[in-house]
Amino acid sequence: MHQMTENPYERQAYVTLLDMEALDNILDISKQLNTSSTRNKLLVIAEDLKLVEGEVKDRLKSAGNIELIDIAYVYDSIFLRVGGVPEKMQELKRPIFSYSNFRDFFTNNRRLLMWLLWEYEQLVYVDPDTIVRRSVDELFQYCGNATLCAPGLYPRRCVSGGPGGALEEEVDDQDLFNPRLMVLSPKADTARRILDVRNESQASDYSELYHELNTLMIALKDSWKPVPPCISGIASASRNSTNTSTVKAFPKRILMIQGGYGEKAKDSLSITSEVNKLYCERHGIEYKSFEERVLNETKFTGHWDRYEVMRRELRDFDYVMWIDADAMVKEFDFDVRDAISTVGENIDIMINSDWEHAPSARSSPPVNTGVMIWKKSNWTMDFLDHFLSLENAYCRKCAETRCERIAFHDQGCLEDYLMTNALDVRAHMQIFPVGVLQRKINDNHKIDARLMSKWNTDYEFIVHAAGIVKERHEVLENQAVAIINSF
């Protein structure tokens, strides 16, 4: 471990992850920190420094303020170092046991290591592709001893002018945080909470579904403080975030699709499409809809057409977002790019937990295919090919009429893939709590009690008239008028 100096800022540092595709940007972050009066160091966390090429190490070390660390380094600094280590930190070895368990635990979960860096009082984490426009050193004082400070999951737009107003902007209080920027104090109690959540999820029958984001959200949901909107932003072709101190670039193209066959679906689409088009125009997202059958009607119910349409459109778009005909965006200020940017690189499907559960017949958590986001990748195209081939015998029945275990169509088939982990789908899917992508209209933010603690939020980004039959037109029309009037 490094030796402490008389530098008053030695116990404060910035942190990011070693990402070879963002190497130049990491060096830019280092340069920006060197211009600050505090000249804080930048910790760069790798999985295994032995696997990092010497040329890369030399480039990073030449910056002068970068310190490279890895999983083994953190383990040694806590459990093998003699003297100086807080007793509570050393006690964490009990739930971890060996180094091999420690390594397996933190591989693909490097951000969780930050709470174990006990020699620091405060750390500011930024994603490696973050552009740091100006110093955010003021966050150290702003956050104080808070367990965690971060932007809201869907942070509001920064409207103040210039860096001087960055901490004066009205704070946006939300249920969940966006981990692209985090200010934290490494503490044994918080680290133990994170370890406990991770261990509990690994004991689940669906352990592969619990990614780093899930661990962070579950462990720290009630322990974080929001930073003002002018600290962190996301930039796209339509959203420059020119006033934010840090910005995460999002150059990818997104398409929103709706569709429906039959008079009821077309009636719903005539209402919701107008709202969703307005949202897309505001956020620079392209929009398309269809009203005719796409797949062979003798093999597939209309619910399956969305997958063929998405497969075609993913040739030209980086992300395709599906929304059912009876669903519409309610929170116009939210930019779906904020949610997309929270997930790991290996995630190809983003979906919402369902609000109803039947554990014996459904995956846990269950999913709702009324709103989904699919990323363009080789895995995605292979998955859609397999999904529509109906090689899965259970899914053939789902496609013809309804699934055997539960009265679903495509949704039941997707849950069967999750239950069997076909094509390693769990590793490629991020399940958000109810509300992050969608929730049922007028549900009073209540869902199945078995899902409430981990899979519910107060968000209502998109509202869905799921299960409403007789009064659907009136409910959708009233909701659309209220949304447009507020817009």
Side-chain angles (χ1 to χ4, degrees), residues 178-246:
N178 194 314
R180 67 176 176 235
L181 180 147
M182 296 183 282
V183 187
L184 61 110
S185 297
K187 295 177 181 177
D189 291 344
T190 308
R192 180 173 291 278
R193 193 187 322 159
I194 291 171
L195 293 173
D196 288 345
V197 168
R198 189 70 183 161
N199 285 329
E200 181 184 347
S201 66
Q202 292 307 294
S204 162
D205 291 337
Y206 295 88
S207 59
E208 302 92 341
L209 277 174
Y210 288 83
H211 304 292
E212 182 185 59
L213 181 63
N214 298 94
T215 302
L216 286 168
M217 296 298 189
I218 294 171
L220 303 173
K221 179 180 179 180
D222 300 321
S223 306
W224 70 283
K225 172 183 176 181
V227 299
C230 289
I231 291 295
S232 172
I234 193 165
S236 64
S238 65
R239 181 177 172 185
N240 293 324
S241 294
T242 53
N243 289 329
T244 57
S245 299
T246 67

Side-chain angles (χ1 to χ4, degrees), residues 130-139 142 150-152 154-172 174 180-181 226-234 239-248:
T130 300
I131 300 169
V132 179
R133 291 194 174 113
R134 51 185 173 264
S135 172
V136 291
D137 285 347
E138 61 264 48
L139 285 176
Y142 178 82
Y154 286 111
R156 306 292 181 179
R157 293 192 180 197
C158 171
V159 294
S160 70
L167 289 179
E168 299 169 7
E169 182 64 40
E170 181 182 354
V171 170
D172 178 33
Q174 294 192 40
R180 67 176 176 235
L181 180 147
V227 299
C230 289
I231 291 295
S232 172
I234 193 165
R239 181 177 172 185
N240 293 324
S241 294
T242 53
N243 289 329
T244 57
S245 299
T246 67
V247 64
K248 187 178 175 75

Side-chain angles (χ1 to χ4, degrees), residues 375-481:
K375 183 177 78 173
K376 182 179 185 177
S377 71
N378 291 334
W379 183 89
T380 297
M381 303 311 288
D382 289 344
F383 182 89
L384 288 171
D385 287 346
H386 193 273
F387 196 73
L388 291 170
S389 72
L390 299 182
E391 292 181 28
N392 182 312
Y394 180 82
C395 291
R396 281 198 293 274
K397 183 67 174 177
C398 299
E400 291 172 3
T401 52
R402 290 184 173 182
C403 300
E404 294 179 358
R405 286 192 300 267
I406 196 163
F408 290 153
H409 305 277
D410 63 297
Q411 187 167 293
C413 175
L414 186 58
E415 289 190 338
D416 190 74
Y417 272 71
L418 285 170
M419 294 172 78
T420 60
N421 200 23
L423 303 185
D424 197 27
V425 64
R426 297 176 190 172
H428 293 267
M429 179 181 288
Q430 178 67 59
I431 302 179
F432 287 111
V434 174
V436 171
L437 294 183
Q438 62 158 327
R439 72 179 319 118
K440 189 175 180 179
I441 288 178
N442 301 328
D443 69 351
N444 296 315
H445 294 189
K446 301 294 184 183
I447 64 173
D448 190 305
R450 292 166 290 189
L451 300 169
M452 278 290 288
S453 62
K454 293 181 180 178
W455 299 103
N456 192 37
T457 69
D458 285 335
Y459 293 107
E460 42 187 6
F461 173 36
I462 292 171
V463 288
H464 189 180
I468 300 174
V469 180
K470 293 183 180 180
E471 300 175 350
R472 179 178 296 178
H473 179 93
E474 181 180 356
V475 169
L476 287 174
E477 201 167 52
N478 290 341
Q479 190 75 216
V481 169

